[in-house]
Structures are given as structure tokens and as C-alpha cells.
Amino acid sequence: MPPDGAREGGPLRRRPARGRGALSNPAGRFEPVREEPFDDGWAREGEETALLPERIPTEVIPDRTKTIITRNDSPDVPFDRSINPYRGCEHGCTYCFARPSHAYLGYSPGLDFETRIVAKHKAARLLRVELRRKGYRPGTLALGSNTDPYQPVERELKITRSLLEVLAEARHPIGVVTKSAMVLRDLDLIAPMAEEGLAQVMISVTTLDPQLARRMEPRAAAPARRLAAIRSLAKAGVPVGVLASPMIPALNDSELEAILEAAAGAGARSAGYILLRLPHELKDLFFEWLEANYPTRSGHVESLLREARGGSLYKARFGERMRGRGPWADLLAARFRVAARRAGLVGRLPPLRLDLFRPPAAPKDDKPAAPSLFAPPPAAQPEENPA
């Protein structure tokens, strides 16, 4: 008899590593070799079959990028430039649309994405250089459009904080997107900028159910802490909104109205939502997690997603990738409009000021990076795709 967690004559069912979201570490789509684990039935009864260790430490890898601001022309987002201090994200969210970007680095979008974090230690210096370029014109800069700027490694590395220090000095408008209460650490920078019309924050709240959150977002702040962060930001005078994102049919979409109501009660002034996006490798990773954690819902989730994506699990067309189309997607959009109106979350946050910008001081000489979390640098790496 095969041991618990394995399928006789089929692929092994992986056990999750503690505090991690993905259940496997498949090769990225650009790799020439792929491995497929298979149970041949020879395991002894009671023998450990987990393919991954119980605990997987985080490895921080220095990034070699020479620029820091990513430009985009997407009509789906209200900004044309962004900064992502980190590639990969320790939060381990199983639904994260940014996972496939790790394949560009030669890493897996699975566990590598949440355990091999590529950090831009020279981000603040690079930002000073770019903001001082002749002809630079300010525009709202999104901090954390791809991966979270306040993921756990930020506590020690403080790269996000160093960027905020430069932006505050330059009086440059900034919009922060996060699901971490760690954003409150930097209220001493964000609140004065907000008072001048230079800063706003969007907090992502995916569910109010702490058990679902622990499974789906293992290292992110608990829902109650995110609501508390909204309350603290609002009390400090920072314009703050909520992102009910992503909405996953038959899993958390029933909470849409409750999320908006709770966020409004905490002081949110605006709201948005995004339908689950499953580009590239993320499709298999997400359904692997779903079948392991909510097997009776897997088929229903897939059916509704396909209905909202024209028969596919994902379509990347502008205007459709964030919302989907068809009856179910239209119903979700209508529910959001009604719920947002009832909660008083109509419209976007006020536009940020552009007229206060002044170039920051020139960067000082590079300082050696602290080695405490570092690993040997990889080969030269391309920038991730814009969000």
C-alpha cells in the first residue's frame, strides 16, 4: 500500500513546507529540462515520501539591475511607472500573478518564488540617479505593483524605506500597494508626504477568514491586522483604499461585500477588485494547492473561471485580464458597484500633486551591503515584466 499523501501509480502528492504556499517547485517555462515525480509503489509503509523539507529557509540574492523605475503603458492600471524593490515574495500567496516572472531569472515560479528573493540593495542610489536625469518629469510612482514592498525580508533590509526617504526628499508622488501591516513602520515618512498630497496607500484584503488566509497567504498579515493598518493610516491622515483582490469564484468571492464594508468601517476611502489571474505556470501551481486544500471546490472554481475567461483559464487582453467577461464576471462587477456605493467607497483616491517635485541630492559612494542574508549572486538577470 502506498503511504498517505501518495497516489498509487501516479504523481506524488506533496506536503506543504511549513509557512510556504506552493506545494512544488516545477521548472520555469524557459528551462530545457523538466522533472516529473512519480510514485512507483515501492515505498514502505510509513516511509516519508514528502519531496520537500518541512522547513525551507529564505535565501536573499543581490540584484544586478542598473535601472529601478519600470515603465508601462497598460490601460488597466492608473500609473505608468513603478518600482519593485524585490523579485519574488516571501508572503507565499498561492494565487500571485507575479510568480511566472521568476522564470525569467532561471528560478521556479513555485517554491523558489517565495524562498529565493532577489533584492535590489542599490535601489535608493539608482532612484536618485534616475530622478536627477535631465528632462525627468514626475508622475505617480507605484511602489509594489508586482511583488510586495513590505514582505518579511524588508524588516532587516529596509530597501523600501530607503526608497521612501529618497521620494520624500524629492517630494515625488507615490502610491503604495501592500498586504502588510509593516507599512505603519514608515508612517513618519508617508504621513508628512500625504499631508502635502504626495502619498496614498492601497491595502489588499483577500479574505476576512483567518483560516483561509493562513492557507492561501501563509506569511502575509492576518486579515484583522490589515484592517487595523487601514485604520491607523486613515487616523494619520493618509488617503487609504482597499483592494479586494483577487476574487476567486467559489472560494472567497462571497466575501466581497463584507470586505468592502469592513474596510470602509476602518477608514478606507476607495476600493477596487481584480478577478483571479492565472498566467503561465500559475495555473498548475494554483490548482495543485486548491486540490490539496479544498478538493471539493476545485472543479467548481475551474468551471466559473473558464466561464469568465471565454473558456480559458486566463486571457491577457487589456480590458479583460483584470475583470473577465460573460454573465458571471458581469455579476461580480455589479456586486462590486453596489457594495462600494453602499459602503461609500465610490471613485478613486484623490490625484497626487506633481508640482512639488525637486531632484534629490546626488548619490553618495556605494556602501558595502550587509552580508547577513546574502547568498552568492546569480548570473546577470533581466528585469521582470511590468505589472
Side-chain angles (χ1 to χ4, degrees), residues 329-349:
D330 293 344
L331 176 60
L332 183 65
R335 286 175 53 202
F336 173 80
R337 289 193 297 270
V338 172
R341 185 170 62 249
R342 286 178 176 172
L345 300 173
V346 180
R348 292 179 175 173
L349 295 175

Side-chain angles (χ1 to χ4, degrees), residues 1-157:
M1 290 288 292
D4 292 341
R7 299 177 185 174
E8 188 170 4
L12 288 172
R13 177 174 295 180
R14 295 165 170 84
R15 300 176 184 177
R18 187 168 182 177
R20 301 302 182 181
L23 301 186
S24 59
N25 208 38
R29 60 193 179 280
F30 303 115
E31 302 307 306
V33 177
R34 296 177 183 272
E35 296 181 358
E36 184 66 34
F38 191 83
D39 176 25
D40 59 9
W42 282 94
R44 297 176 181 177
E45 186 172 356
E47 186 176 7
E48 181 59 64
T49 59
L51 302 179
L52 300 164
E54 183 181 355
R55 292 177 180 270
I56 304 177
T58 297
E59 176 186 12
V60 176
I61 302 164
D63 186 278
R64 292 179 176 178
T65 188
K66 296 181 179 179
T67 60
I68 195 63
I69 297 178
T70 299
R71 305 278 180 164
N72 79 84
D73 58 0
S74 169
D76 293 330
V77 293
F79 56 85
D80 65 357
R81 65 199 75 183
S82 62
I83 292 179
N84 293 288
Y86 304 98
R87 304 185 188 190
C89 184
E90 266 194 299
H91 282 157
C93 303
T94 55
Y95 51 71
C96 183
F97 71 87
R99 283 183 178 272
S101 66
H102 235 42
Y104 289 103
L105 308 179
Y107 299 143
S108 170
L111 282 160
D112 278 355
F113 177 80
E114 53 195 278
T115 61
R116 306 183 77 176
I117 308 301
V118 181
K120 301 177 182 179
H121 298 284
K122 296 183 179 180
R125 185 183 192 283
L126 293 172
L127 181 59
R128 287 184 180 277
V129 170
E130 294 198 37
L131 295 186
R132 288 176 57 82
R133 283 180 178 164
K134 186 176 181 180
Y136 178 82
R137 295 293 180 268
T140 297
L141 199 156
L143 188 60
S145 60
N146 201 53
T147 56
D148 203 307
Y150 286 104
Q151 56 181 285
V153 293
E154 169 64 16
R155 289 191 186 95
E156 179 172 345
L157 299 184

Side-chain angles (χ1 to χ4, degrees), residues 218-242:
R219 294 200 177 192
R225 292 189 65 208
R226 299 185 215 183
L227 292 175
I230 292 175
R231 187 172 292 107
S232 296
L233 287 163
K235 186 176 180 180
V238 179
V240 58
V242 62

Side-chain angles (χ1 to χ4, degrees), residues 7 13-16 23 215 286-296 298:
R7 299 177 185 174
R13 177 174 295 180
R14 295 165 170 84
R15 300 176 184 177
L23 301 186
R215 291 182 178 182
F286 174 76
F287 278 102
E288 179 181 54
W289 171 86
L290 188 62
E291 288 167 6
N293 287 276
Y294 299 96
T296 60
S298 183

